Each structure stands twice: as structure tokens, then as C-alpha cells.
Amino acid sequence: MKNPPIIFFAFILHLSASCAQRQVYIVYFGEHNGEKTLREIEDTHYSYLVSVKDSKEEAKASLIYSYKNIINGFSALLTPDEAAKLLEMDEVVSVFHSHPRKYSVQTTRSWDFVNLLDGIGGMNHSNQEELLIKASYGKEAIVGLLDTGIWPQSQSFSDEGMEPIPKSWKGICQHGVAFNSSHCYRKLIGARYYLKGYEAIYGPLNNLENYRSPRDKSGHGTHTASTVGGRRVANASALGGFANGTASGGAPLVRIAMYKVCWQVPGQDQGGACLDDDMLAAFDDAIADGVQVLSVSIVSFNSTPYTEDVIAIGSWHAVKRNIAVACSAGNSGPLSSTVTNVAPWIITVAASSIDRVFTSPVLLGNDMKVEGQTMPPYKLKKLNPLVYAGDAEIPGTTTNATTGRCRNGTLSSKVVEGKIVLCLRGKRNDILKGLEVRRAGGAAIIAVNPINGSGILVNTHLLPGTTIFSNDSATVLNNINNTKSPMATIIPAKTALGSKSAPFMAPFSSWGPIGIEPNILKPDISAPGLNILAAWSEASSPTSLSADHRVTKYNIVSGTSMSCPHVAAAAALLKAIHPDWSSAAIRSTKHQGLTSRIPTMLAPN
Ligand SMILES: *[C@@H]1O[C@H](CO)[C@@H](O)[C@H](O)[C@H]1NC(C)=O
Ligand SMILES: *[C@@H]1O[C@H](CO)[C@@H](O)[C@H](O)[C@H]1NC(C)=O
Ligand SMILES: *[C@@H]1O[C@H](CO)[C@@H](O)[C@H](O)[C@H]1NC(C)=O
Ligand SMILES: *[C@@H]1O[C@H](CO)[C@@H](O)[C@H](O)[C@H]1NC(C)=O
Ligand SMILES: *[C@@H]1O[C@H](CO)[C@@H](O)[C@H](O)[C@H]1NC(C)=O
Ligand SMILES: *[C@@H]1O[C@H](CO)[C@@H](O)[C@H](O)[C@H]1NC(C)=O
Ligand SMILES: *[C@@H]1O[C@H](CO)[C@@H](O)[C@H](O)[C@H]1NC(C)=O
Ligand SMILES: *[C@@H]1O[C@H](CO)[C@@H](O)[C@H](O)[C@H]1NC(C)=O
Ligand SMILES: *[C@@H]1O[C@H](CO)[C@@H](O)[C@H](O)[C@H]1NC(C)=O
């Protein structure tokens, strides 16, 4: 991440200082020609290793994955010298490090807003349901996701009334901790997990922080999967009746297959790692299993050549077999050349707003109203003393650069007790700032949106609070500076639909142009990604922080991770309507059919 203010809603990975002599490399040969048996393929991979290692035993011990279905390659522990020797061999296309990637987080309303489902609030619904009915709600289509796993008991994944699994399906339901074949049926038709690459870097999986199975500990994968294909669930709401309405995936009858490739990293709240060699194994299986669309809400590195980028490689083999692949563009906007997953054969998805806001303005003592948005519906007194965090700090706990940011242990209870506290934006998560205000006995937090421009990222604070636009923080500060005893209240949040300014690009959504190939325009398309409601893991909290013990079946989060599955669902519906269309045709449809039918999926300029 190059942009510190938004660091906390893209789950960030801090690389551990592993880097010993031997590292995990992927050795890539291209495609299998179908002439060898699985056994022969593994033997061939093994013989390459033997040719650079001192002994057969060492070669055997260093092999991690042998990719045998479609993708030809293997991953192994190698020294830089061994990697260099392999790269010199004729058959070898590329040899590169297996890196950990991150997944990028930072739906009732979003599908209404794009006119696929019945909606309320100001849209023209003459086309509503038309696409869905034509596509039979996607019942013949199979969408695979590479993600953090799935919470199979969510009502969004109910099998009720669904027809038998399509005959073409070859996938499996891999059993593991708290997950067995009874968790797959006609909605979730396949589930697998991959962690050999993870364990080669991070050591044995910590079972307290993860399920060694396709079950989701994070919430991210459950959210993306239910955005693609969740059933219609009435009265789905996150935390206290917010965003209530019928939750539904874009293709409510589509079949879902989860390939769990991302794992929590011990000691890291909101963190996770998806290893390249685990992902390549998942692509290889998903293609062989028979998915028709792949949704990958995982961020790449933005200047990696395609032959060293597993998402580019995996999706190349997928698209060659007519599988459409949607990937998130990344959450590093609004800065130029931050877009990732830029291979021309990928549908690269940016994020934009929907017309739902959670208004919760700040009312200052002089009756001035400052726009704000928040999630939980807390009530505050009519007038509360208001203080700027920078005026309430324990001396010596902050520097000029950290003052006013509500860092841990900085606020003085004597000053803050019972007051609303204005915390300036800083690198840390606003939820943690709220926890500091709560620790010091404050009544509420006013947080400042971490990004400039339109679009507030709502927070599920653990105390009363709201988030104001970044340009409005000076207004509140001025009021505090110029008033003898400043007072304020936060008006309890209301869900408001039909916001006139929607859709606009979410300010965090990554921008083109592409560093490595300026002639290709990316992202390709934009879809809802700001404050999106969808199903969540009950083993996680709404904020994914260990300090948060709340449990929710539905949650609101933001990111291009959330917009990507919207496009995957649309692609699945198009596949259902036009089984003869190639993935390239579906990718280019954004310029005609998709944009006219789904008005908010705008191609960004
Ligand atoms: C709604 O859309 C239909 C067809 O797309 C169009 O004929 C009609 O004029 C639109 N109505 C409004 C109020 O925009
Ligand atoms: C699968 O797990 C459930 C509990 O989650 C259990 O009731 C069931 O017996 C298990 N089924 C098999 C086949 O192991
Ligand atoms: C949804 O909630 C409303 C109000 O609480 C209730 O009247 C309605 O019956 C509920 N609908 C369903 C399908 O549960
Ligand atoms: C649900 O949303 C509707 C508007 O769509 C609102 O009128 C109603 O009060 C909400 N219900 C709850 C329980 O928040
Ligand atoms: C902090 O800011 C004050 C006034 O704005 C200034 O006098 C002081 O030199 C600054 N301290 C540092 C360490 O920059
Ligand atoms: C700050 O406090 C929160 C809980 O209040 C805790 O989860 C977090 O780890 C603390 N951070 C640091 C850097 O101490
Ligand atoms: C946001 O706006 C402020 C004030 O206009 C400016 O100082 C800051 O550099 C901007 N930040 C970003 C990331 O654009
Ligand atoms: C700050 O930005 C918001 C949204 O862009 C706007 O509604 C508001 O009027 C702005 N405030 C000021 C003080 O310019
Ligand atoms: C308000 O006062 C603080 C110091 O307490 C100062 O840093 C800030 O610039 C002032 N803000 C405005 C808008 O005057």
C-alpha cells in the first residue's frame, strides 16, 4: 500500500522476516498436452528438481505442489541458485517467488440499485428482473471463488427448492475442521482448501485463528460468495436493523464452489495471506472441476510480468477454457497507476457507490449540521460536551505528527469523560480510535473519513460515533476553537435510499493507467463496492478485530473485493442466457448489454 490513510480497509499483510536461504518458488511450464498420466507428470516435475538438488531425498522433501490438471508447473523450496538453473532450461517459461497476497476489503441494496431485483427508491424499474428471468436466476451456472472460505450455514446459502447439481460438475467437498460433506449440497456444490504454501512460509496453521477446512474464519469469503449467489433472505440486516431489506446475490440460484486460499495470519487483526502457490493449485482445480466463472477478490502486485503473476497465469488457462474471470482492481486509489490484476483477459473491477446512505449528522451547539454516516443505531443525549482529541491528551504521549489521532493510551480520562471526541484521521483504523475514546470514558467519537472526496466508509463502532467528510473536520475544529464550552450531539443513523449523487467512483478504488502496459485501459468496469451488505462468518466479528466480540450474520464492508463478485454474478447470468458466448464476448459486453441493463456498472473514464 502506498497510501497510508486507507491502510486499514485493505487487509494488509506485514511480511514476516522469514527469508531464509531457501524460499518457495513456482516453476511454470505452460499447459499440459494431455499425453501424460498424473503419475508421469509428478515424476517429470520431480526429475527437474532432482537435476538441481544434491539428492533424491532432498528433491522429494522440497516439492510442495505439482500442478497436474491443466496448468503445468510445480512449487518447491529452492535456493536462488537452483531457481536460476531451472530458469535456464528450455521447457521452463518462468521461475518466480511464491508471494503472499492480500485480500482487499476495505447485499440488500446493491442489486436493487443496479436494477436486477425489485427495488425501492427512485430508480426506473421497467427492466427489473428481466435479465434474471431470462437467465433462470443463474441456476445452470457455476461460479468458483478464490477466497477465505465460506460459512455454509448462512441462510444465504440455503438449498431449499434447488434442482440437482449440474451433471458437468466434477468438484468435491473437502472435509476438514468443522466442515464435512454434509455442508455441500445444491447451492454450495464444492469446497476445497489449500494451505501447503501458507504453511511453508508461516509454519503450521494455528487452529485457533483458522479452520483447517473450507470454513471461513474471516467473513470476507462468505461476503463475496453471497454477493455472487446468495439466496433471497428477507429482513437481512447488519447490527440492529440497518440496511434491512431482502438480501440477495446477483444470481440467486447460481451454484457456488469455494476454493479457500487465504488464511488469517497469527497475531494480525484483519490480516490475511493468500500464497501464490496455493492460488495456482486452486485455479488448476477450479478449471478441472468445471466452474464457468471465477471471482477473485485478491489484489496483485501492480508491475509483475504476466508470466510471474499467478492470477494472470491462472486466469489465462481459465479463459482459454472459456471460463470468465473477474478480479478486484485494488483499493489504493485515488492515485494514478494503482490498478492491479491488469492482464487483458481478466475483467478488472473497480468500485463505486450505491444510492443508500446511513445518515448520522453531527449537530453542533450553534445548530450547525455537519454531514456524517455511521452503522450502529446508538442514541446520545441532546447536548454533550465536545472536545478535540488534541486538546485532551496526556502530556508526552503524542508528537506533532500524532496529536489528535486518538492513539492507544493518549487520551486523558479527566478531560474526555462523558464528552464527544473529535479524532483526526491517521493511519489507524477508526474502530481502534473509538476504543481509545471508550477506554478514556468518552461518550462518542467523531471520526474523519480516511479518504478525500465523496463517499464515507461507514464504521461499525463499538460506541456511539459517526464519520464526517474529510473536508468538514476543519468546520468542527473551528467550532471547538471558537466556542467557550462547545457542545454537540450525533443524530441516530437512518438508512436513506435514493441518494441523488450515486453512483460515483469510490475514492479508494484503484486507478489506471497500467505501469507495465500503457496501451491497455484498466479497470474495465465498475460495480457497487461502497458499504455493501452481505452474509458474514459467525466466527468473526463485524470489524474482524479481536477486541470486538459481536457476532453478526450480515455485515457491511467496502472494497473492490465487494464489487468483483457483482460482476462475476452478471457474467454468470450472461453465460446462462448465451451459453455460446465466449468469455471474451462476455468481457466486452460491458460496453453494450451490461451497461444498458445494469446502469450503475459504469466504465470509469
Ligand atoms: C424507464 O425506462 C423505460 C425503458 O427503459 C423508458 O421507456 C421510460 O421512459 C423510463 N421511465 C423514466 C421515468 O425514466
Ligand atoms: C458433519 O458434521 C455435522 C456437524 O456439523 C454432523 O452432524 C454430521 O454427522 C457430520 N457428517 C458426517 C458425514 O461426518
Ligand atoms: C420482516 O420484519 C417485519 C418487521 O419486523 C415483519 O413484519 C415481517 O413479517 C418480516 N418478514 C419476514 C419474511 O420475516
Ligand atoms: C427497514 O427499512 C425501511 C425502509 O426501507 C424502513 O422504513 C423501516 O423502518 C426499516 N425497519 C427497521 C426495523 O429498521
Ligand atoms: C511542534 O509544533 C509546534 C507549534 O506548531 C512547534 O513550535 C514545534 O517546534 C513542533 N515540534 C516539532 C518536534 O516539530
Ligand atoms: C490498542 O488497543 C486495542 C484495544 O483497545 C488493542 O486491540 C490494540 O492491540 C492496541 N494497539 C496497540 C498498538 O497497543
Ligand atoms: C486530502 O486533502 C488534504 C487537504 O486538502 C490534503 O492535504 C491531502 O494531501 C489530501 N490527501 C490525499 C491522499 O489526497
Ligand atoms: C465537504 O464535502 C461534502 C461532500 O463532498 C460536501 O457535501 C460538503 O458540503 C463539503 N463541506 C465543505 C465545508 O466544503
Ligand atoms: C484549532 O486549535 C488547534 C489547537 O488547539 C489548532 O491545531 C487548529 O489548527 C485550530 N483549528 C482551526 C480550524 O482553527
Side-chain angles (χ1 to χ4, degrees):
M1 298 292 303
K2 284 182 190 144
N3 191 13
I6 62 161
I7 214 152
F8 32 82
F9 54 87
F11 285 156
I12 288 295
L13 177 79
H14 305 279
L15 262 172
S16 68
S18 56
C19 307
Q21 256 278 302
R22 295 199 315 168
Q23 295 187 327
V24 179
Y25 285 85
I26 293 168
V27 180
Y28 174 55
F29 300 91
E31 196 163 53
H32 291 294
N33 58 16
E35 286 166 10
K36 284 187 177 139
T37 65
L38 297 183
R39 186 61 214 250
E40 286 165 350
I41 291 168
E42 185 157 350
D43 286 348
T44 308
H45 291 163
Y46 179 58
S47 69
Y48 277 98
L49 266 177
V50 171
S51 74
V52 298
K53 296 277 186 189
D54 291 337
S55 69
K56 284 189 170 176
E57 289 67 36
E58 204 193 324
K60 191 155 230 158
S62 61
L63 184 67
I64 298 171
Y65 281 108
S66 175
Y67 306 113
K68 294 181 235 175
N69 295 322
I70 283 90
I71 299 167
N72 190 356
F74 63 85
S75 75
L77 284 162
L78 299 172
T79 64
D81 277 354
E82 290 161 354
K85 276 185 205 153
L86 282 164
L87 184 58
E88 279 168 17
M89 299 180 187
D90 277 350
E91 309 78 7
V92 174
V93 175
S94 55
V95 179
F96 54 99
H97 284 291
S98 174
H99 289 289
R101 316 269 189 130
K102 55 194 185 248
Y103 41 98
S104 54
V105 164
Q106 127 45 71
T107 131
T108 44
R109 189 60 191 154
S110 50
W111 289 110
D112 295 344
F113 185 57
V114 298
N115 264 5
L116 273 175
L117 302 175
D118 331 323
I120 20 177
M123 298 295 294
N124 182 348
H125 287 129
S126 62
N127 295 334
Q128 62 178 243
E129 300 254 1
E130 194 189 315
L131 180 61
L132 274 171
I133 291 166
K134 271 196 190 161
S136 305
Y137 299 85
K139 70 178 183 183
E140 292 302 321
I142 302 168
V143 178
L145 297 102
L146 270 58
D147 215 301
T148 64
I150 192 163
W151 193 261
Q153 290 96 334
S154 169
Q155 242 185 305
S156 291
F157 305 124
S158 159
D159 300 290
E160 206 186 316
M162 286 189 70
E163 290 173 19
I165 297 172
K167 291 222 162 51
S168 62
W169 180 241
K170 299 191 210 59
I172 62 163
C173 192
Q174 190 178 1
H175 80 98
V177 174
F179 203 98
N180 63 34
S181 57
S182 73
H183 292 114
C184 300
Y185 193 46
R186 292 176 171 179
K187 165 53 81 180
L188 178 64
I189 62 171
R192 298 179 186 257
Y193 64 97
Y194 304 84
L195 50 62
K196 283 196 269 180
Y198 173 96
E199 291 192 317
I201 288 201
Y202 294 98
L205 189 74
N206 176 341
N207 286 323
L208 288 177
E209 308 209 19
N210 287 287
Y211 293 103
R212 184 181 284 274
S213 76
R215 184 173 289 272
D216 183 12
K217 182 78 181 178
S218 133
H220 188 272
T222 302
H223 202 278
T224 55
S226 63
T227 299
V228 172
R231 302 295 296 273
R232 291 185 175 180
V233 177
N235 285 356
S237 63
L239 298 173
F242 264 65
N244 74 31
T246 301
S248 174
L253 294 183
V254 84
R255 318 301 176 128
I256 292 170
M258 174 57 69
Y259 299 85
K260 180 175 176 181
V261 295
C262 300
W263 304 85
Q264 309 286 104
V265 174
Q268 279 175 28
D269 274 344
Q270 300 184 301
C274 329
L275 269 295
D276 276 347
D277 56 337
D278 288 334
M279 283 199 286
L280 203 54
F283 271 110
D284 193 40
D285 281 342
I287 298 168
D289 286 348
V291 305
Q292 288 144 7
V293 176
L294 271 168
S295 183
V296 184
S297 291
I298 299 170
V299 174
S300 275
F301 306 100
N302 67 1
S303 54
T304 313
Y306 302 143
T307 50
E308 298 179 10
D309 174 345
V310 293
I311 296 184
I313 293 171
S315 52
W316 166 251
H317 292 281
V319 169
K320 269 185 83 176
R321 285 177 165 67
N322 220 11
I323 298 164
V325 185
C327 297
S328 45
N331 297 341
S332 305
L335 291 171
S336 306
S337 297
T338 45
V339 63
T340 76
N341 291 324
V342 296
W345 47 90
I346 290 173
I347 310 176
T348 311
V349 188
S352 41
S353 73
I354 57 173
D355 67 335
R356 176 184 59 201
V357 289
F358 305 96
T359 57
S360 176
V362 176
L363 194 58
L364 297 168
N366 61 357
D367 276 344
M368 189 179 197
K369 215 186 226 181
V370 177
E371 233 179 297
Q373 285 189 50
T374 197
M375 265 291 300
Y378 291 108
K379 275 212 174 80
L380 274 185
K381 281 191 297 194
K382 211 165 161 201
L383 278 177
N384 309 268
L386 171 66
V387 67
Y388 162 53
D391 296 334
E393 282 162 356
I394 301 165
T397 57
T398 57
T399 65
N400 280 4
T402 62
T403 190
R405 264 98 179 153
C406 298
R407 294 211 172 175
N408 279 9
T410 60
L411 293 178
S412 158
S413 307
K414 270 192 223 133
V415 188
V416 161
E417 186 77 46
K419 292 184 182 158
I420 299 178
V421 181
L422 171 70
C423 299
L424 297 187
R425 63 181 182 182
K427 284 181 191 174
R428 289 168 71 241
N429 190 316
D430 288 338
I431 305 286
L432 294 179
K433 294 178 195 163
L435 286 175
E436 171 62 7
V437 171
R438 190 175 74 169
R439 181 201 61 77
I445 178 175
I446 299 174
V448 178
N449 206 30
I451 333 163
N452 290 350
S454 318
I456 287 178
L457 289 150
V458 298
N459 279 306
T460 47
H461 282 296
L462 286 129
L463 78 170
T466 194
T467 302
I468 61 175
F469 283 112
S470 57
N471 61 339
D472 282 334
S473 67
T475 313
V476 178
L477 259 181
N478 256 327
N479 182 275
I480 294 173
N481 284 5
N482 300 324
T483 313
K484 217 168 181 185
S485 21
M487 304 290 268
T489 193
I490 298 171
I491 298 172
K494 280 204 195 77
T495 309
L497 304 174
S499 167
K500 293 275 186 311
S501 58
F504 51 80
M505 292 307 298
F508 57 76
S509 191
S510 288
W511 288 11
I514 312 172
I516 51 171
E517 208 162 339
N519 296 327
I520 299 175
L521 289 179
K522 290 273 178 177
D524 294 300
I525 192 168
S526 187
L530 183 66
N531 302 329
I532 301 300
L533 177 76
W536 200 246
S537 164
E538 290 177 45
S540 185
S541 67
T543 56
S544 302
L545 295 167
S546 45
D548 185 354
H549 302 293
R550 296 171 296 181
V551 170
T552 185
K553 290 179 173 15
Y554 289 85
N555 196 19
I556 293 192
V557 286
S558 299
T560 50
S561 284
M562 283 62 246
S563 57
C564 169
H566 281 84
V567 169
L573 295 176
L574 284 173
K575 287 238 168 201
I577 298 173
H578 303 287
D580 54 328
W581 282 13
S582 69
S583 293
I586 286 181
R587 203 177 72 80
S588 67
T589 306
K590 67 179 192 280
H591 299 302
Q592 311 135 25
L594 258 185
T595 35
S596 63
R597 284 189 188 276
I598 307 182
T600 61
M601 293 191 176
L602 301 173
N605 298 319

